Each structure stands twice: as C-alpha cells, then as structure tokens.
Amino acid sequence: MKRRSFIQTSGLASASMLTPAFLRAGLRPSNSSRQGKILVVVQLSGGNDGLNTIVPFGDDIYYRARPSLSIPPAEVLKLNDYQGLHPALSPLRNLYDRGELAILNGVGYPEPDRSHFRSMDIWQTGSSSRENCSTGWLGRYLDHLPRDQHAYHALEVDDGLSLAMKGELQRGFAMSDPNRLRRSVRNPLLPDQAHTHVHEHHTVSYLYETLTRTTEAADYLYEQSGIYRSRQSYPIGRFGRDLKRVAELITADTDTQVYYLSLSGFDTHARQQGPHQRLLAQYAKGMSAFVADLVENDLFKEVIIMTFSEFGRRLAQNGSGGTDHGTANNVLVMSGGLKRAGILNAPSSLSRLDAGDLIFDVDFRRLYATLLDRWLGAPANQILNGHFEAIDFI
C-alpha cells in the first residue's frame, strides 16, 4: 500500500471507531494526490497602513500630511520614481526583482465602511457594502466542489473558522496545532457520549457526521504534519509558526488547496511607527522564509499568496502619532507563476480625496474573480453573484 493511501485509510479507521455503523458507509478514503493550484490568503487584521507599507515617497503631499510619521526618502526601498517599500520589507525586495511580487494599488469597494467588523465581513464574504451575507467567498467556492470533498480541502490555521471559509453546504477546517487537535478528538468520552443517543435522530446524525469528518481530518493532518520538516528560519511567534506549518503541509503533498492565516495588531491609532515597523518586519521575514521553502521544493509556481487588510488608513497622521481608519489600500500578491509582476496600476491620488480618505480604484472582487477563475478554476460569476473583470496578472 502506498504511504498516502495508508495514512488516509488509517485516519479513516480511527474516525470510524467514533462513528455509528449507519454513517460509516459514507466514508471513503481518497488515494489521489492534491490536484490543481494552491491559494494562500494572508489577512493583516486591524487595518494596515498601506501608505507606510508601499510608500509614495515621490509625493510631497505625503510628507506634508505626515510630518513625523512618514518614511524618509533615503530609507525607502525604491521600486520606481514614486513608490517604494517600507525598509522593514527588505526581505521582499528579491521577490520583486525576480518578478514574483505584484502590488495592486487602491483596492477597496464602493461606499466603504470604517468599522473593523463590518469591513472585514465585506471582504470575507465578497459582497457589497449594502449586502449582509452569511457565507464567505471561499466557503461558496467549497460549495461548488463535490459534496464528498474532505473537510481539510480548505484549511484555516487558527482555533476558529472565519466567515470567509463558511459556505452554505460546506465549510473549511480550522486547526492551529495538529497535535492538540488530535488529542481533543481522541478524547475517550466522545465515543461514550455518542452511544447514549438515538442514532436515527436527525440532529444527532448531523453531529455524528461532524464528529466523523473532524476526526478524519485531525488524523490526516496530524500524519501529514510529520512528513516534512522545514529547514528555513521563520520569525519567532505565532505567525512564523503558522507559515512554517503551512509550508510543511504543502510540501508533504497534503490534499488541501486553500490555506488561510492572519497576522493581527495593525490598528495603529497611536505611536504607530515602532509597532508598525515590527509587524512589517515579522510579515516580511515570515513570507521570505515561506517562499524559500516553496522554492526549495519546486512548489512556488504552484502557489499564489494574497495579502490583504480590511481597509487602509487616512492620509494625515493624527495627534497621537498614529493613523485613523481609512478606505482604499494596497494588496500584495506573490507567486512563482505570475504573468505580470511589479506595480500593476497607478497609485492612489493624494490630492483627490474623499473627506480625507483615499478613493478606491480597484474593486476587491475583481481580485477574487481573478483568483477563482484563473487559479482555482472555479465559476467566479456564480460564487461572487455578479461579473467582475479579471486583473491580468495570472
């Protein structure tokens, strides 16, 4: 028996121990390796200051609006005559020079909302600011897959599942630590609780099915997590550990096509400069190690990484040495398989603002449509409930 078949069959066997006989017939091991491209979504939670990330050093308005918070031109890692990287992002400079990093300016949506929760809901659901949607854009992608798709086809590296990963029929799987997850589902109390219920009851049947899928996924991901050990140096902290875990799972040929993880702390209303620099350095070092892992294993052409935040910050610094909630922002895309790289569009105007906020130029759903259609091979029009023109970078 092949290693992959053994791992999945053994995971299935342990799952069946917790499962009533009437549900066991629905479990089938999969002998196929992962098919298709991989999408990794990185969420910068809190509203990253895009103007101090991709710095418009060529515009005097930027320096007048941020007398103490702006990045001096001599420190900016210049990409052209107008924009450059924050110096903390220096680990990403090689990716840019190799044509493996694309920057999209002015990404947002009409009638923006400056609430963290509401704006994140809009981004995660792929809906307009006038809609309230209960399913996520990646969850609806899962809904379009075969019903017997494994729960770990889309994996969020966290203890809870974000709205982005929740569909109406299917949803992704959340896991922060495969060892802890496996211990939890192997709790000896679970089988005892299972057999005290009437199996024919619809609600109990649903719970059994959920338990079965969770146990199967926990066993499978636990086994996969031990196949490959990264030799790269990731930054200390949760974000570095999460990236390393994703790199190891991808390299182990795990049957997961979508990964979702986040880095928080970007709500920088006061004394922004130091914390923001540390966050950007953590992000850049983590992404550099992650890409190096993929390149070492000849996988970077099969993976695309999208980094977004729920909104940007206002142009002018506030009285506390920070920035307040804004609107449009930049999005970073990394891959060894980009058709176009570099700065993809004109930067947001600093002279034409909406009550102090940048005016968005690119609807974020165009980015989603591009990733769904051209990378995941999914019907973007159906998933996003409308037509959004693709962006020509893949």
Side-chain angles (χ1 to χ4, degrees):
M1 180 181 290
K2 293 182 179 179
R3 174 192 58 79
R4 185 181 184 85
S5 301
F6 172 77
I7 289 172
Q8 293 184 330
T9 304
S10 62
L12 197 68
S14 62
S16 67
M17 292 174 63
L18 301 178
T19 310
F22 75 99
L23 277 178
R24 290 177 195 167
L27 289 171
R28 295 289 184 270
S30 170
N31 297 325
S32 62
S33 294
R34 179 188 62 240
Q35 299 293 323
K37 307 289 189 180
I38 298 168
L39 169 65
V40 178
V41 178
V42 179
Q43 172 183 304
L44 304 181
S45 300
N48 177 44
D49 181 8
L51 289 172
N52 271 21
T53 301
I54 309 300
V55 184
F57 71 91
D59 198 325
D60 290 340
I61 297 175
Y62 165 72
Y63 290 99
R64 290 198 299 269
R66 299 184 172 202
S68 64
L69 196 57
S70 56
I71 310 300
E75 297 180 14
V76 176
L77 304 176
K78 299 176 177 60
L79 304 178
N80 57 24
D81 292 336
Y82 186 87
Q83 287 183 294
L85 299 173
H86 186 291
L89 296 177
S90 59
L92 302 184
R93 181 60 190 258
N94 285 339
L95 275 71
Y96 186 89
D97 292 342
R98 295 199 306 256
E100 296 169 344
L101 169 62
I103 299 168
L104 195 60
N105 290 304
V107 183
Y109 54 89
E111 301 179 61
D113 195 299
R114 293 170 186 79
S115 159
H116 290 294
F117 304 104
R118 179 61 187 138
S119 190
M120 188 60 78
D121 278 354
I122 292 167
W123 272 87
Q124 291 194 355
T125 59
S127 60
S128 75
S129 58
R130 294 188 176 186
E131 297 176 275
N132 284 293
C133 190
S134 60
T135 58
W137 73 285
L138 292 170
R140 295 196 298 276
Y141 158 71
L142 294 175
D143 283 344
H144 280 266
L145 298 177
R147 182 66 182 92
D148 60 353
Q149 187 68 51
H150 291 292
Y152 46 77
H153 187 85
L155 174 65
E156 182 160 0
V157 189
D158 203 336
D159 291 322
L161 195 66
S162 68
L163 179 56
M165 301 279 272
K166 296 177 182 178
E168 188 165 337
L169 303 174
Q170 304 197 72
R171 55 178 54 199
F173 192 80
M175 176 199 73
S176 60
D177 184 329
N179 298 307
R180 182 153 51 90
L181 175 65
R182 193 172 191 241
R183 287 196 301 269
S184 297
V185 300
R186 284 175 173 267
N187 188 323
L189 293 177
L190 291 176
D192 294 338
Q193 290 293 320
H195 291 293
T196 62
H197 292 81
V198 180
H199 298 168
E200 288 74 15
H201 193 281
H202 175 74
T203 302
V204 176
S205 297
Y206 172 76
L207 293 175
Y208 276 133
E209 182 180 359
T210 301
L211 175 61
T212 298
R213 289 169 62 84
T214 301
T215 307
E216 177 198 14
D219 280 332
Y220 175 73
L221 291 170
Y222 173 81
E223 298 289 351
Q224 292 295 108
S225 67
I227 292 174
Y228 171 75
R229 285 288 180 261
S230 169
R231 295 176 293 181
Q232 298 298 325
S233 178
Y234 285 82
I236 296 172
R238 178 173 176 173
F239 184 66
R241 290 195 303 271
D242 289 350
L243 281 171
K244 182 179 180 182
R245 181 160 291 131
V246 171
E248 291 174 344
L249 289 171
I250 291 174
T251 306
D253 195 28
T254 304
D255 191 14
T256 301
Q257 196 168 10
V258 176
Y259 293 90
Y260 198 102
L261 59 159
S262 61
L263 175 62
S264 59
F266 288 90
D267 195 15
T268 51
H269 285 279
R271 299 175 187 159
Q272 172 181 307
Q273 205 159 48
H276 191 239
Q277 178 172 330
R278 288 190 290 272
L279 283 168
L280 291 182
Q282 186 179 12
Y283 167 76
K285 290 175 184 177
M287 298 311 301
S288 178
F290 183 65
V291 168
D293 249 334
L294 298 176
V295 170
E296 180 183 353
N297 292 282
D298 197 25
L299 288 166
F300 196 33
K301 290 184 178 179
E302 307 301 315
V303 177
I304 196 164
I305 308 154
M306 180 194 75
T307 301
F308 81 99
S309 195
E310 66 264 39
F311 44 63
R313 317 297 286 192
R314 309 197 84 185
L315 168 61
Q317 68 179 63
N318 60 30
S320 301
T323 51
D324 296 325
H325 299 178
T327 52
N329 208 350
N330 41 55
V331 170
L332 305 185
V333 180
M334 305 173 202
S335 177
L338 295 179
K339 178 180 176 181
R340 285 178 59 213
I343 298 175
L344 301 181
N345 62 331
S348 299
S349 172
L350 302 188
S351 59
R352 187 173 62 90
L353 303 175
D354 180 8
D357 284 323
L358 303 180
I359 299 173
F360 90 97
D361 179 55
V362 179
D363 193 307
F364 74 100
R365 289 166 292 186
R366 292 184 59 197
L367 180 63
Y368 289 1
T370 307
L371 295 171
L372 288 166
D373 267 330
R374 298 188 178 184
W375 197 257
L376 296 178
N381 288 1
Q382 298 176 40
I383 293 170
L384 299 176
N385 300 315
H387 174 73
F388 298 93
E389 184 182 357
I391 303 167
D392 198 27
F393 62 88
I394 51 175

PDB file of all heavy atoms in Angstrom, residues 87-114:
ATOM      1  N   PRO A  87      11.287  50.144   4.679  1.00  0.00           N
ATOM      2  CA  PRO A  87      12.568  49.437   4.867  1.00  0.00           C
ATOM      3  C   PRO A  87      12.445  48.105   5.594  1.00  0.00           C
ATOM      4  O   PRO A  87      13.274  47.207   5.389  1.00  0.00           O
ATOM      5  CB  PRO A  87      13.411  50.444   5.659  1.00  0.00           C
ATOM      6  CG  PRO A  87      12.453  51.470   6.177  1.00  0.00           C
ATOM      7  CD  PRO A  87      11.326  51.511   5.211  1.00  0.00           C
ATOM      8  N   ALA A  88      11.408  47.937   6.422  1.00  0.00           N
ATOM      9  CA  ALA A  88      11.217  46.663   7.121  1.00  0.00           C
ATOM     10  C   ALA A  88      10.846  45.533   6.168  1.00  0.00           C
ATOM     11  O   ALA A  88      10.928  44.357   6.527  1.00  0.00           O
ATOM     12  CB  ALA A  88      10.155  46.806   8.202  1.00  0.00           C
ATOM     13  N   LEU A  89      10.440  45.896   4.961  1.00  0.00           N
ATOM     14  CA  LEU A  89      10.045  44.886   3.977  1.00  0.00           C
ATOM     15  C   LEU A  89      11.215  44.463   3.082  1.00  0.00           C
ATOM     16  O   LEU A  89      11.002  43.836   2.046  1.00  0.00           O
ATOM     17  CB  LEU A  89       8.908  45.416   3.102  1.00  0.00           C
ATOM     18  CG  LEU A  89       7.584  45.714   3.813  1.00  0.00           C
ATOM     19  CD1 LEU A  89       6.570  46.296   2.825  1.00  0.00           C
ATOM     20  CD2 LEU A  89       7.010  44.474   4.478  1.00  0.00           C
ATOM     21  N   SER A  90      12.432  44.764   3.488  1.00  0.00           N
ATOM     22  CA  SER A  90      13.596  44.446   2.658  1.00  0.00           C
ATOM     23  C   SER A  90      13.686  42.964   2.273  1.00  0.00           C
ATOM     24  O   SER A  90      14.172  42.653   1.176  1.00  0.00           O
ATOM     25  CB  SER A  90      14.884  44.890   3.343  1.00  0.00           C
ATOM     26  OG  SER A  90      15.039  44.265   4.608  1.00  0.00           O
ATOM     27  N   PRO A  91      13.216  41.999   3.113  1.00  0.00           N
ATOM     28  CA  PRO A  91      13.270  40.600   2.668  1.00  0.00           C
ATOM     29  C   PRO A  91      12.431  40.307   1.427  1.00  0.00           C
ATOM     30  O   PRO A  91      12.624  39.276   0.779  1.00  0.00           O
ATOM     31  CB  PRO A  91      12.735  39.827   3.887  1.00  0.00           C
ATOM     32  CG  PRO A  91      13.043  40.698   5.060  1.00  0.00           C
ATOM     33  CD  PRO A  91      12.830  42.085   4.544  1.00  0.00           C
ATOM     34  N   LEU A  92      11.504  41.225   1.094  1.00  0.00           N
ATOM     35  CA  LEU A  92      10.650  41.006  -0.078  1.00  0.00           C
ATOM     36  C   LEU A  92      11.242  41.624  -1.347  1.00  0.00           C
ATOM     37  O   LEU A  92      10.714  41.399  -2.434  1.00  0.00           O
ATOM     38  CB  LEU A  92       9.248  41.590   0.155  1.00  0.00           C
ATOM     39  CG  LEU A  92       8.475  41.061   1.368  1.00  0.00           C
ATOM     40  CD1 LEU A  92       7.082  41.673   1.402  1.00  0.00           C
ATOM     41  CD2 LEU A  92       8.395  39.542   1.354  1.00  0.00           C
ATOM     42  N   ARG A  93      12.317  42.381  -1.206  1.00  0.00           N
ATOM     43  CA  ARG A  93      12.875  43.069  -2.367  1.00  0.00           C
ATOM     44  C   ARG A  93      13.343  42.086  -3.443  1.00  0.00           C
ATOM     45  O   ARG A  93      13.143  42.317  -4.649  1.00  0.00           O
ATOM     46  CB  ARG A  93      14.035  43.975  -1.945  1.00  0.00           C
ATOM     47  CG  ARG A  93      14.669  44.761  -3.100  1.00  0.00           C
ATOM     48  CD  ARG A  93      13.606  45.646  -3.750  1.00  0.00           C
ATOM     49  NE  ARG A  93      14.056  46.243  -4.975  1.00  0.00           N
ATOM     50  CZ  ARG A  93      14.455  47.521  -5.071  1.00  0.00           C
ATOM     51  NH1 ARG A  93      14.494  48.298  -4.005  1.00  0.00           N
ATOM     52  NH2 ARG A  93      14.814  48.008  -6.227  1.00  0.00           N
ATOM     53  N   ASN A  94      13.935  40.986  -3.032  1.00  0.00           N
ATOM     54  CA  ASN A  94      14.389  39.996  -4.010  1.00  0.00           C
ATOM     55  C   ASN A  94      13.227  39.405  -4.796  1.00  0.00           C
ATOM     56  O   ASN A  94      13.350  39.132  -5.998  1.00  0.00           O
ATOM     57  CB  ASN A  94      15.162  38.876  -3.315  1.00  0.00           C
ATOM     58  CG  ASN A  94      16.550  39.314  -2.889  1.00  0.00           C
ATOM     59  OD1 ASN A  94      17.092  40.283  -3.424  1.00  0.00           O
ATOM     60  ND2 ASN A  94      17.118  38.611  -1.926  1.00  0.00           N
ATOM     61  N   LEU A  95      12.084  39.190  -4.121  1.00  0.00           N
ATOM     62  CA  LEU A  95      10.911  38.669  -4.821  1.00  0.00           C
ATOM     63  C   LEU A  95      10.463  39.652  -5.891  1.00  0.00           C
ATOM     64  O   LEU A  95      10.113  39.256  -7.013  1.00  0.00           O
ATOM     65  CB  LEU A  95       9.761  38.420  -3.837  1.00  0.00           C
ATOM     66  CG  LEU A  95       9.734  37.083  -3.102  1.00  0.00           C
ATOM     67  CD1 LEU A  95      10.838  37.011  -2.058  1.00  0.00           C
ATOM     68  CD2 LEU A  95       8.378  36.859  -2.442  1.00  0.00           C
ATOM     69  N   TYR A  96      10.460  40.940  -5.547  1.00  0.00           N
ATOM     70  CA  TYR A  96      10.064  41.964  -6.505  1.00  0.00           C
ATOM     71  C   TYR A  96      11.010  41.959  -7.697  1.00  0.00           C
ATOM     72  O   TYR A  96      10.580  41.982  -8.854  1.00  0.00           O
ATOM     73  CB  TYR A  96      10.056  43.335  -5.827  1.00  0.00           C
ATOM     74  CG  TYR A  96       9.528  44.437  -6.709  1.00  0.00           C
ATOM     75  CD1 TYR A  96       8.175  44.743  -6.731  1.00  0.00           C
ATOM     76  CD2 TYR A  96      10.393  45.173  -7.530  1.00  0.00           C
ATOM     77  CE1 TYR A  96       7.682  45.765  -7.541  1.00  0.00           C
ATOM     78  CE2 TYR A  96       9.912  46.183  -8.343  1.00  0.00           C
ATOM     79  CZ  TYR A  96       8.556  46.474  -8.347  1.00  0.00           C
ATOM     80  OH  TYR A  96       8.087  47.469  -9.158  1.00  0.00           O
ATOM     81  N   ASP A  97      12.297  41.912  -7.423  1.00  0.00           N
ATOM     82  CA  ASP A  97      13.291  41.947  -8.502  1.00  0.00           C
ATOM     83  C   ASP A  97      13.222  40.709  -9.390  1.00  0.00           C
ATOM     84  O   ASP A  97      13.543  40.783 -10.587  1.00  0.00           O
ATOM     85  CB  ASP A  97      14.693  42.089  -7.911  1.00  0.00           C
ATOM     86  CG  ASP A  97      14.923  43.445  -7.248  1.00  0.00           C
ATOM     87  OD1 ASP A  97      14.156  44.389  -7.537  1.00  0.00           O
ATOM     88  OD2 ASP A  97      15.858  43.555  -6.425  1.00  0.00           O
ATOM     89  N   ARG A  98      12.806  39.578  -8.833  1.00  0.00           N
ATOM     90  CA  ARG A  98      12.701  38.337  -9.612  1.00  0.00           C
ATOM     91  C   ARG A  98      11.365  38.214 -10.346  1.00  0.00           C
ATOM     92  O   ARG A  98      11.122  37.231 -11.045  1.00  0.00           O
ATOM     93  CB  ARG A  98      12.853  37.114  -8.693  1.00  0.00           C
ATOM     94  CG  ARG A  98      14.207  36.978  -8.041  1.00  0.00           C
ATOM     95  CD  ARG A  98      14.435  35.553  -7.535  1.00  0.00           C
ATOM     96  NE  ARG A  98      13.375  35.074  -6.660  1.00  0.00           N
ATOM     97  CZ  ARG A  98      13.492  34.974  -5.337  1.00  0.00           C
ATOM     98  NH1 ARG A  98      14.611  35.365  -4.729  1.00  0.00           N
ATOM     99  NH2 ARG A  98      12.504  34.497  -4.614  1.00  0.00           N
ATOM    100  N   GLY A  99      10.474  39.194 -10.198  1.00  0.00           N
ATOM    101  CA  GLY A  99       9.169  39.130 -10.853  1.00  0.00           C
ATOM    102  C   GLY A  99       8.205  38.187 -10.169  1.00  0.00           C
ATOM    103  O   GLY A  99       7.322  37.611 -10.811  1.00  0.00           O
ATOM    104  N   GLU A 100       8.332  38.056  -8.835  1.00  0.00           N
ATOM    105  CA  GLU A 100       7.476  37.143  -8.071  1.00  0.00           C
ATOM    106  C   GLU A 100       6.584  37.876  -7.074  1.00  0.00           C
ATOM    107  O   GLU A 100       5.918  37.259  -6.257  1.00  0.00           O
ATOM    108  CB  GLU A 100       8.357  36.121  -7.340  1.00  0.00           C
ATOM    109  CG  GLU A 100       9.140  35.228  -8.293  1.00  0.00           C
ATOM    110  CD  GLU A 100      10.202  34.396  -7.610  1.00  0.00           C
ATOM    111  OE1 GLU A 100      10.566  34.715  -6.445  1.00  0.00           O
ATOM    112  OE2 GLU A 100      10.684  33.434  -8.229  1.00  0.00           O
ATOM    113  N   LEU A 101       6.556  39.204  -7.172  1.00  0.00           N
ATOM    114  CA  LEU A 101       5.716  40.025  -6.305  1.00  0.00           C
ATOM    115  C   LEU A 101       4.978  41.049  -7.146  1.00  0.00           C
ATOM    116  O   LEU A 101       5.594  41.767  -7.936  1.00  0.00           O
ATOM    117  CB  LEU A 101       6.576  40.736  -5.249  1.00  0.00           C
ATOM    118  CG  LEU A 101       5.903  41.838  -4.416  1.00  0.00           C
ATOM    119  CD1 LEU A 101       4.750  41.271  -3.590  1.00  0.00           C
ATOM    120  CD2 LEU A 101       6.923  42.513  -3.497  1.00  0.00           C
ATOM    121  N   ALA A 102       3.661  41.095  -6.987  1.00  0.00           N
ATOM    122  CA  ALA A 102       2.819  42.085  -7.666  1.00  0.00           C
ATOM    123  C   ALA A 102       2.133  42.944  -6.622  1.00  0.00           C
ATOM    124  O   ALA A 102       1.708  42.445  -5.571  1.00  0.00           O
ATOM    125  CB  ALA A 102       1.795  41.399  -8.555  1.00  0.00           C
ATOM    126  N   ILE A 103       2.036  44.230  -6.906  1.00  0.00           N
ATOM    127  CA  ILE A 103       1.410  45.190  -5.994  1.00  0.00           C
ATOM    128  C   ILE A 103       0.232  45.835  -6.701  1.00  0.00           C
ATOM    129  O   ILE A 103       0.375  46.391  -7.796  1.00  0.00           O
ATOM    130  CB  ILE A 103       2.420  46.265  -5.556  1.00  0.00           C
ATOM    131  CG1 ILE A 103       3.593  45.617  -4.802  1.00  0.00           C
ATOM    132  CG2 ILE A 103       1.737  47.330  -4.699  1.00  0.00           C
ATOM    133  CD1 ILE A 103       4.766  46.542  -4.589  1.00  0.00           C
ATOM    134  N   LEU A 104      -0.914  45.755  -6.077  1.00  0.00           N
ATOM    135  CA  LEU A 104      -2.129  46.359  -6.624  1.00  0.00           C
ATOM    136  C   LEU A 104      -2.513  47.526  -5.724  1.00  0.00           C
ATOM    137  O   LEU A 104      -2.744  47.349  -4.514  1.00  0.00           O
ATOM    138  CB  LEU A 104      -3.244  45.312  -6.669  1.00  0.00           C
ATOM    139  CG  LEU A 104      -4.481  45.610  -7.504  1.00  0.00           C
ATOM    140  CD1 LEU A 104      -4.104  45.818  -8.974  1.00  0.00           C
ATOM    141  CD2 LEU A 104      -5.484  44.468  -7.393  1.00  0.00           C
ATOM    142  N   ASN A 105      -2.565  48.720  -6.289  1.00  0.00           N
ATOM    143  CA  ASN A 105      -2.872  49.929  -5.529  1.00  0.00           C
ATOM    144  C   ASN A 105      -4.379  50.209  -5.504  1.00  0.00           C
ATOM    145  O   ASN A 105      -5.114  49.814  -6.403  1.00  0.00           O
ATOM    146  CB  ASN A 105      -2.169  51.136  -6.156  1.00  0.00           C
ATOM    147  CG  ASN A 105      -0.669  51.108  -5.967  1.00  0.00           C
ATOM    148  OD1 ASN A 105      -0.187  51.026  -4.846  1.00  0.00           O
ATOM    149  ND2 ASN A 105       0.079  51.176  -7.058  1.00  0.00           N
ATOM    150  N   GLY A 106      -4.793  50.938  -4.471  1.00  0.00           N
ATOM    151  CA  GLY A 106      -6.146  51.483  -4.426  1.00  0.00           C
ATOM    152  C   GLY A 106      -7.252  50.450  -4.445  1.00  0.00           C
ATOM    153  O   GLY A 106      -8.279  50.645  -5.095  1.00  0.00           O
ATOM    154  N   VAL A 107      -7.090  49.362  -3.719  1.00  0.00           N
ATOM    155  CA  VAL A 107      -8.110  48.306  -3.698  1.00  0.00           C
ATOM    156  C   VAL A 107      -9.134  48.620  -2.608  1.00  0.00           C
ATOM    157  O   VAL A 107      -8.777  48.954  -1.475  1.00  0.00           O
ATOM    158  CB  VAL A 107      -7.473  46.925  -3.457  1.00  0.00           C
ATOM    159  CG1 VAL A 107      -8.531  45.829  -3.520  1.00  0.00           C
ATOM    160  CG2 VAL A 107      -6.363  46.656  -4.464  1.00  0.00           C
ATOM    161  N   GLY A 108     -10.403  48.499  -2.953  1.00  0.00           N
ATOM    162  CA  GLY A 108     -11.462  48.763  -1.989  1.00  0.00           C
ATOM    163  C   GLY A 108     -12.817  48.411  -2.563  1.00  0.00           C
ATOM    164  O   GLY A 108     -12.937  47.480  -3.367  1.00  0.00           O
ATOM    165  N   TYR A 109     -13.835  49.182  -2.186  1.00  0.00           N
ATOM    166  CA  TYR A 109     -15.192  48.918  -2.668  1.00  0.00           C
ATOM    167  C   TYR A 109     -16.040  50.182  -2.498  1.00  0.00           C
ATOM    168  O   TYR A 109     -15.687  51.063  -1.706  1.00  0.00           O
ATOM    169  CB  TYR A 109     -15.819  47.745  -1.900  1.00  0.00           C
ATOM    170  CG  TYR A 109     -15.807  47.904  -0.394  1.00  0.00           C
ATOM    171  CD1 TYR A 109     -16.851  48.541   0.279  1.00  0.00           C
ATOM    172  CD2 TYR A 109     -14.732  47.428   0.361  1.00  0.00           C
ATOM    173  CE1 TYR A 109     -16.839  48.684   1.647  1.00  0.00           C
ATOM    174  CE2 TYR A 109     -14.708  47.573   1.732  1.00  0.00           C
ATOM    175  CZ  TYR A 109     -15.763  48.205   2.377  1.00  0.00           C
ATOM    176  OH  TYR A 109     -15.740  48.370   3.741  1.00  0.00           O
ATOM    177  N   PRO A 110     -17.144  50.296  -3.241  1.00  0.00           N
ATOM    178  CA  PRO A 110     -17.993  51.484  -3.134  1.00  0.00           C
ATOM    179  C   PRO A 110     -18.613  51.610  -1.744  1.00  0.00           C
ATOM    180  O   PRO A 110     -18.856  50.614  -1.068  1.00  0.00           O
ATOM    181  CB  PRO A 110     -19.065  51.245  -4.197  1.00  0.00           C
ATOM    182  CG  PRO A 110     -18.486  50.232  -5.127  1.00  0.00           C
ATOM    183  CD  PRO A 110     -17.601  49.367  -4.290  1.00  0.00           C
ATOM    184  N   GLU A 111     -18.869  52.839  -1.345  1.00  0.00           N
ATOM    185  CA  GLU A 111     -19.487  53.144  -0.050  1.00  0.00           C
ATOM    186  C   GLU A 111     -18.778  52.406   1.081  1.00  0.00           C
ATOM    187  O   GLU A 111     -19.356  51.577   1.775  1.00  0.00           O
ATOM    188  CB  GLU A 111     -20.984  52.796  -0.078  1.00  0.00           C
ATOM    189  CG  GLU A 111     -21.770  53.531  -1.141  1.00  0.00           C
ATOM    190  CD  GLU A 111     -23.231  53.140  -1.155  1.00  0.00           C
ATOM    191  OE1 GLU A 111     -23.892  53.352  -0.112  1.00  0.00           O
ATOM    192  OE2 GLU A 111     -23.700  52.617  -2.172  1.00  0.00           O
ATOM    193  N   PRO A 112     -17.496  52.701   1.300  1.00  0.00           N
ATOM    194  CA  PRO A 112     -16.703  51.955   2.280  1.00  0.00           C
ATOM    195  C   PRO A 112     -17.197  52.129   3.708  1.00  0.00           C
ATOM    196  O   PRO A 112     -17.759  53.157   4.078  1.00  0.00           O
ATOM    197  CB  PRO A 112     -15.305  52.536   2.103  1.00  0.00           C
ATOM    198  CG  PRO A 112     -15.523  53.897   1.529  1.00  0.00           C
ATOM    199  CD  PRO A 112     -16.727  53.772   0.655  1.00  0.00           C
ATOM    200  N   ASP A 113     -16.961  51.114   4.510  1.00  0.00           N
ATOM    201  CA  ASP A 113     -17.323  51.123   5.921  1.00  0.00           C
ATOM    202  C   ASP A 113     -16.042  51.110   6.743  1.00  0.00           C
ATOM    203  O   ASP A 113     -15.150  50.297   6.497  1.00  0.00           O
ATOM    204  CB  ASP A 113     -18.185  49.899   6.248  1.00  0.00           C
ATOM    205  CG  ASP A 113     -18.889  50.035   7.583  1.00  0.00           C
ATOM    206  OD1 ASP A 113     -18.190  50.157   8.605  1.00  0.00           O
ATOM    207  OD2 ASP A 113     -20.137  50.007   7.606  1.00  0.00           O
ATOM    208  N   ARG A 114     -15.929  51.989   7.732  1.00  0.00           N
ATOM    209  CA  ARG A 114     -14.705  52.102   8.523  1.00  0.00           C
ATOM    210  C   ARG A 114     -14.739  51.283   9.806  1.00  0.00           C
ATOM    211  O   ARG A 114     -13.835  51.396  10.642  1.00  0.00           O
ATOM    212  CB  ARG A 114     -14.408  53.568   8.822  1.00  0.00           C
ATOM    213  CG  ARG A 114     -14.044  54.364   7.573  1.00  0.00           C
ATOM    214  CD  ARG A 114     -13.991  55.857   7.835  1.00  0.00           C
ATOM    215  NE  ARG A 114     -13.783  56.610   6.596  1.00  0.00           N
ATOM    216  CZ  ARG A 114     -14.735  56.888   5.713  1.00  0.00           C
ATOM    217  NH1 ARG A 114     -15.974  56.465   5.925  1.00  0.00           N
ATOM    218  NH2 ARG A 114     -14.460  57.570   4.619  1.00  0.00           N
TER     219      ARG A 114
END
